[in-house]
Amino acid sequence: MHEIEGLLSSRSIDVCLIQEPATDCKGIYLFDRRPYRVVASGVGPKAAIVVANPAVGILSLQHLSTPHISVAVFTVGNLRLVLISAYFQFSEPTQTHVDALESVLDSVSGNVLVCADVNARSTLWHERGEMVVELIGRKNLTVNNLAGSVNTFINRGSACLDVTLTSYGVNVADWTAVHNLTSSDHAIISFDVTQNCARLNDRTDPFVKYDWSKTNWNEFRKSLKLRVSAWMTDLESPDLDTSTAALLYNYNLITNIITISTDTP
């Protein structure tokens, strides 16, 4: 962790998404004190988000975070990103972690960046890797790992276990994976992020239209009522992070609906 702290300061890194961090009785070892802001959940968390730049905004989404997944909203200037740091425990079923990550992705809106140690080879013939590939396809995510780059994990064997995923509209540049910067058997992955601000009408992909004729409106109303009830519970929560996150989520949801309505010809 001392090595990572050195990299944060020497390379002017804004934020670091860590999997399997060292922990102590206070939390994430070394980063559990100022000037760092840390997003992590539970005792001995397996995933964390560490913010090194005091000029950026970070909103912890604790109601979505677990010991294996840390979620936060990152803002700087006009850039807004939902950051997700995820660790798939090798000793546990991969499907369990895939489902947990998919649940988080279903609960957030806007631009998303996922940095994950999936403990699965990215090949369709490998059962663990296939589960991750199917998730990426279902959520229409982009894999930013560069073809031909070094394997991110090197020990007695080697594999590409660490993936950088983004949603539509998030551009990753200068993606690199480098070993020997720390004593870890995983590479340090670094990259720059920009946000594509193209409007819906400017997209090159075809506009999606929905057929509402077969919609079960009774089921829709029931589902909507349950979701509204859950949102209201979070909004009225005495926990500031939970209520703020619920308010932000609903604001973004409404904003997206308005944007789609006004941009649709």
Side-chain angles (χ1 to χ4, degrees), residues 84 98-108 110 112 114 131-143 165-169:
I84 302 175
V98 167
D99 291 344
L101 178 55
E102 185 163 18
S103 177
V104 171
L105 291 169
D106 287 339
S107 301
V108 299
V112 177
V114 180
M131 295 177 190
V132 178
V133 169
E134 289 175 352
L135 169 65
I136 292 170
R138 285 196 302 272
K139 309 315 294 183
N140 196 27
L141 299 173
T142 298
V143 179
L165 308 173
T166 51
S167 62
Y168 179 89

Side-chain angles (χ1 to χ4, degrees), residues 58-212:
I58 197 76
L59 174 64
S60 172
L61 302 185
Q62 285 295 325
H63 66 297
L64 297 178
S65 298
T66 71
H68 288 82
I69 300 177
S70 292
V71 190
V73 177
F74 171 92
T75 55
V76 56
N78 294 324
L79 177 64
R80 177 189 181 277
L81 278 176
V82 176
L83 301 180
I84 302 175
S85 176
Y87 176 72
F88 289 21
Q89 190 90 32
F90 185 79
S91 59
E92 298 175 359
T94 297
Q95 191 63 55
T96 299
H97 294 287
V98 167
D99 291 344
L101 178 55
E102 185 163 18
S103 177
V104 171
L105 291 169
D106 287 339
S107 301
V108 299
S109 61
N111 294 319
V112 177
L113 169 68
V114 180
C115 293
D117 176 355
V118 298
N119 268 316
R121 298 175 186 273
S122 55
T123 52
L124 292 175
W125 50 264
H126 191 280
E127 183 180 0
R128 286 177 178 261
E130 185 176 356
M131 295 177 190
V132 178
V133 169
E134 289 175 352
L135 169 65
I136 292 170
R138 285 196 302 272
K139 309 315 294 183
N140 196 27
L141 299 173
T142 298
V143 179
N144 293 276
N145 297 49
L146 295 180
S149 61
V150 298
N151 285 333
T152 63
F153 173 81
I154 297 177
N155 198 310
R156 286 172 292 182
S158 66
C160 187
L161 305 181
D162 307 278
V163 293
T164 306
L165 308 173
T166 51
S167 62
Y168 179 89
V170 181
N171 299 320
V172 167
D174 299 325
W175 188 97
T176 58
V178 180
H179 287 276
N180 301 322
L181 293 178
T182 71
S183 56
S184 172
D185 46 16
H186 287 260
I188 292 292
I189 297 173
S190 64
F191 49 86
D192 295 325
V193 175
T194 59
Q195 183 172 256
N196 182 0
C197 297
R199 290 163 56 87
L200 285 174
N201 290 352
D202 298 330
R203 294 181 182 176
T204 56
D205 53 319
F207 186 78
V208 178
K209 295 184 178 180
Y210 296 94
D211 179 8
W212 304 105

